[in-house]
């Protein structure tokens, strides 16, 4: 009898402590990242940019410890992306040929969330919305609201069953939609032993052309600094290509806060060519250009212009 | 109106109504700007973009700004001072030259903006190569990622 009472008391105490544990709300983003990387799924989603809607078919699977993805454009000119771990190849069909290009990285929907939300916590506020139906599945809506005006708002609809992001909207300060992706069909499948789908669709009537970039070893020291970088943005990649006419390098740096991306290009201006200055906005994609000490400095990104100008105006060397 | 633009690009509009749609769209300058930017982004991604997409429009604009010539060949010097100076009394001429000299000195003391003639506004020649490299490395949108084929410098 005493023993029964002891177990009853233990259950009550553990139940109380469980109900008092407050789960980190940001954990849902980590789970969404893991779901997009670890689940086996097939589906179709719509992409909307510049008021143009495109459909994309996706197959994603884990085979052994490796991640495989195939994305196929369903509208307009054919095109595909096949990725196996860090090997990413794009097959872009033209009128007479298919250009194959190797890429270094991708951040494509639905794998858009970073592995850890720590940096996002510094620059966004997380808020939860309603549970709504997306692609015939219940999804938890959540919004990442920027704490400053150097980035846009991100809205996600996370599958309640699997934590896979089912829908994403990027909107600006005026609540205008900049970018949108949304599953219309989704199947969680078991493809652990089958990789027969992981191949490009071959068009025998076209010539296949490999468009490969030779890597250039970056010099040890970078000669520039940015005095006034927007908070939360850190360099995630830098590459250089040798200019064929001048014995100098053109640099491409990528900065990110985990969701927003800014490309900064620093390249010498050749004699006879006019450097570009000023700003331009093209349906969500902004560009800020500056001529500085013989170099063209150009920042490009789907972020507010202010964020781009922080880079172009504060470069120093 | 923006929906109509995208419909035109998506070939969703019947051929017979195309002229009517284009005329309606051309009426507003903001729409013209949008139209141009839709074209630019699409052309950049399809590798059809040339560095001067509106070259013909700019040539026509430059021609429009040229004064109409009515048969006679205009003199190369068309400033009023060049014609009037020889017949002016020397005091007035000296005063005028003094004023011009003062303006010249004043102008020379202003920080030079010589770059004005050697730089180009980014909207006059949209940097397609930079856009493509950006889309090819950072796009969240698979369509932009796949269609952004960039040229290699080597």
């Amino acid at each position: 009898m005493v023993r029964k009472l002891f177990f009853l008391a233990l259950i009550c105490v553990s139940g109380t402590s469980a109900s008092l544990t407050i789960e980190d709300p940001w954990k849902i983003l980590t789970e969404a990242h893991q779901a997009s990387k670890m689940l086996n799924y097939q589906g179709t989603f719509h992409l909307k940019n510049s008021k143009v809607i495109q459909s994309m078919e996706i197959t994603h699977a884990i085979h052994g410890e490796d991640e495989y993805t195939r994305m196929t454009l369903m509208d307009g000119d054919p095109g595909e992306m096949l990725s196996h771990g860090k090997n990413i190849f794009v097959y872009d069909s033209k009128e007479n040929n298919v250009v194959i290009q190797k890429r270094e990285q991708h951040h494509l929907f639905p794998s858009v969330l970073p592995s850890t939300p720590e940096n996002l916590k510094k620059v966004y506020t997380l808020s939860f919305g309603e549970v709504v139906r997306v692609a015939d599945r219940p999804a938890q809506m959540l919004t990442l609201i920027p704490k400053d005006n150097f980035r846009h708002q991100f809205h996600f609809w996370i599958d309640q069953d699997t934590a896979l992001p089912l829908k994403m909207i990027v909107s600006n300060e005026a609540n205008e939609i900049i970018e949108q992706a949304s599953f219309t069909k989704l199947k969680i499948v078991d493809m652990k032993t089958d990789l027969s789908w992981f191949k490009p669709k071959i068009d025998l009537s076209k010539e296949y052309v490999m468009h490969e970039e030779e890597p250039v070893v970056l010099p040890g020291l970078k000669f520039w600094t940015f005095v006034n970088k927007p908070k939360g943005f850190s360099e995630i990649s830098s590459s250089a290509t040798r200019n064929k006419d001048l014995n100098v390098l053109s640099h491409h740096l990528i900065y990110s806060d985990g969701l927003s991306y800014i490309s900064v290009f620093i390249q010498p201006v050749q004699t006879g060519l006019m450097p570009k200055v000023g700003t331009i906005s093209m349906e969500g994609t902004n560009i800020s250009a500056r001529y500085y000490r013989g170099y063209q400095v150009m920042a490009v990104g789907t972020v507010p212009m202010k964020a781009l100008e922080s880079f172009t105006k504060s470069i120093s060397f | 109106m923006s929906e109509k633009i995208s419909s035109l690009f998506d070939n969703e509009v019947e051929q017979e109504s195309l002229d009517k749609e284009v005329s309606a769209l051309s009426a507003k300058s903001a729409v013209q700007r949008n139209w141009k930017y839709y074209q630019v982004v699409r052309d950049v991604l399809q590798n059809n973009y040339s560095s001067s997409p509106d070259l013909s429009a700019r040539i026509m604009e430059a021609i429009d700004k040229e004064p109409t010539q009515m048969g006679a060949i205009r003199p190369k010097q068309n400033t009023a001072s060049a014609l009037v100076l020889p017949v002016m009394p020397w005091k007035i001429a000296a005063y005028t030259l003094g004023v011009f000299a003062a303006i010249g000195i004043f102008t020379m003391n202003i920080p030079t903006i010589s770059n004005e003639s050697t730089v180009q506004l980014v909207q006059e020649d949209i940097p397609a190569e930079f856009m493509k490299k950006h889309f090819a490395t950072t796009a969240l949108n698979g369509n932009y990622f796949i269609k952004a084929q960039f040229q290699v410098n080597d």
Side-chain angles (χ1 to χ4, degrees):
Chain A
M1 182 65 187
V2 174
R3 200 173 167 185
K4 277 183 183 175
L5 281 171
F6 173 74
F7 277 114
L8 194 64
L10 195 67
I11 289 164
C12 288
V13 169
S14 60
T16 312
S17 65
S19 65
L20 286 174
T21 305
I22 299 166
E23 204 172 68
D24 180 7
W26 292 85
K27 199 179 157 195
I28 192 169
L29 298 182
T30 310
E31 289 169 353
H33 164 82
Q34 286 170 349
S36 66
K37 295 282 182 190
M38 303 306 292
L39 288 175
N40 297 329
Y41 51 92
Q42 276 182 321
T44 307
F45 56 86
H46 282 165
L47 296 161
K48 193 174 178 187
N49 263 76
S50 304
K51 314 280 193 297
V52 176
I53 298 172
Q54 295 269 331
S55 294
M56 182 80 85
E57 217 172 62
I58 183 170
T59 306
H60 178 272
I62 296 293
H63 186 72
E65 290 185 350
D66 295 342
E67 183 186 3
Y68 294 82
T69 313
R70 182 184 175 206
M71 286 192 190
T72 310
L73 280 174
M74 304 307 288
D75 304 321
D77 289 334
E80 285 187 287
M81 188 281 291
L82 281 98
S83 77
H84 168 208
K86 289 188 174 177
N87 294 313
I88 304 157
F89 286 94
V90 160
Y91 297 76
D92 183 17
S93 188
K94 308 284 182 196
E95 200 174 336
N96 299 316
N97 58 23
V98 177
V99 180
I100 309 168
Q101 194 166 52
K102 192 174 188 297
R103 300 283 170 82
E104 294 300 314
Q105 56 191 330
H106 75 78
H107 316 279
L108 300 174
F109 180 82
S111 294
V112 291
L113 286 158
S115 56
T116 165
E118 293 313 309
N119 196 53
L120 300 181
K121 287 179 186 178
K122 294 176 193 165
V123 288
Y124 294 93
T125 304
L126 177 64
S127 79
F128 285 75
E130 294 178 339
V131 174
V132 293
R133 204 164 67 101
V134 179
D136 199 24
R137 303 171 76 90
Q140 170 67 57
M141 191 241 182
L142 55 93
T143 305
L144 289 153
I145 304 156
K147 291 179 181 175
D148 54 29
N149 47 8
F150 290 112
R151 60 211 96 225
H152 293 314
Q153 273 189 36
F154 286 79
H155 312 261
F156 291 100
W157 283 258
I158 307 293
D159 185 21
Q160 278 205 315
D161 296 336
T162 63
L164 188 72
L166 299 178
K167 184 174 173 179
M168 175 192 75
I169 287 179
V170 184
S171 64
N172 64 15
E173 215 172 15
N175 269 332
E176 293 163 335
I177 294 176
I178 306 283
E179 200 157 3
Q180 184 174 337
S182 180
F183 273 102
T184 52
K185 280 183 191 170
L186 178 69
K187 270 196 305 185
I188 308 296
V189 290
D190 180 17
M191 292 180 296
K192 282 178 185 168
T193 53
D194 177 25
L195 271 181
S196 60
W197 53 270
F198 190 73
K199 60 187 177 191
K201 189 180 175 185
I202 302 294
D203 184 347
L204 293 172
S205 67
K206 290 182 178 176
E207 189 187 348
Y208 280 70
V209 185
M210 190 72 191
H211 197 164
E212 201 164 14
E213 189 169 28
E214 286 180 25
V216 172
V217 179
L218 266 175
L221 288 172
K222 291 174 182 173
F223 60 87
W224 61 84
T225 55
F226 296 103
V227 182
N228 190 24
K229 251 178 1 210
K231 190 184 172 187
F233 280 95
S234 55
E235 187 184 303
I236 59 162
S237 145
S238 66
S239 60
T241 46
R242 194 171 297 284
N243 192 302
K244 63 183 174 185
D245 297 318
L246 300 165
N247 191 25
V248 282
L249 296 172
S250 299
H251 299 271
H252 178 193
L253 318 168
I254 301 173
Y255 286 82
S256 178
D257 64 3
L259 280 174
S260 303
Y261 294 89
I262 294 174
S263 284
V264 182
F265 300 93
I266 303 164
Q267 68 174 45
V269 177
Q270 286 175 249
T271 313
L273 289 181
M274 280 198 287
K276 295 175 178 65
V277 295
T279 60
I280 184 170
S281 300
M282 283 186 292
E283 295 304 310
T285 302
N286 288 332
I287 300 173
S288 169
R290 185 186 177 196
Y291 178 55
Y292 182 72
R293 294 191 168 185
Y295 280 78
Q296 176 74 71
V297 182
M298 184 105 48
V300 185
T302 308
V303 291
M305 193 67 83
K306 192 181 170 185
L308 301 179
E309 286 178 334
S310 295
F311 284 94
T312 52
K313 286 182 178 172
S314 76
I315 193 166
S316 174
F317 52 81
Chain B
M1 191 59 89
S2 295
E3 291 301 327
K4 284 185 182 175
I5 296 175
S6 70
S7 302
L8 288 173
F9 277 115
D10 297 343
N11 295 323
E12 288 169 3
V13 177
E14 293 292 326
Q15 187 62 42
E16 56 265 29
S17 65
L18 195 63
D19 289 342
K20 206 180 281 182
E21 292 285 358
V22 170
S23 303
L25 288 167
S26 303
K28 291 181 182 175
S29 62
V31 174
Q32 281 178 323
R33 196 170 57 246
N34 273 349
W35 175 270
K36 179 186 160 189
Y37 292 158
Y38 286 132
Q39 282 182 311
V40 168
V41 175
R42 186 198 60 180
D43 289 350
V44 163
L45 292 172
Q46 293 177 350
N47 281 321
N48 294 328
Y49 179 75
S50 64
S51 59
S52 298
D54 54 350
L55 185 64
S56 57
R58 281 155 62 188
I59 291 168
M60 290 308 292
E61 191 185 359
I63 291 169
D64 286 346
K65 281 180 183 171
E66 282 290 311
T68 309
Q69 294 186 15
M70 303 300 286
I73 298 169
R74 295 166 63 206
K76 281 184 181 175
Q77 279 185 310
N78 63 348
T79 55
S81 60
L83 295 170
V84 175
L85 206 58
V87 295
M88 285 173 99
W90 69 272
K91 278 186 180 176
I92 297 172
Y95 175 76
T96 310
L97 285 171
V99 169
F100 282 139
I103 292 168
I105 291 164
F106 177 69
T107 308
M108 282 166 69
N109 286 337
I110 293 174
T112 52
I113 48 166
S114 57
N115 275 349
E116 195 176 31
S117 59
T118 55
V119 296
Q120 187 177 26
L121 288 174
V122 70
Q123 58 264 43
E124 286 177 357
D125 187 7
I126 291 155
E129 207 49 40
F130 293 110
M131 284 173 69
K132 280 190 271 188
K133 275 195 172 183
H134 173 70
F135 290 142
T137 45
T138 67
L140 307 180
N141 178 322
N143 177 38
Y144 276 26
F145 185 78
I146 291 168
K147 288 295 167 189
Q149 291 283 347
F150 56 89
Q151 296 294 319
V152 180
N153 281 346
D154 284 319

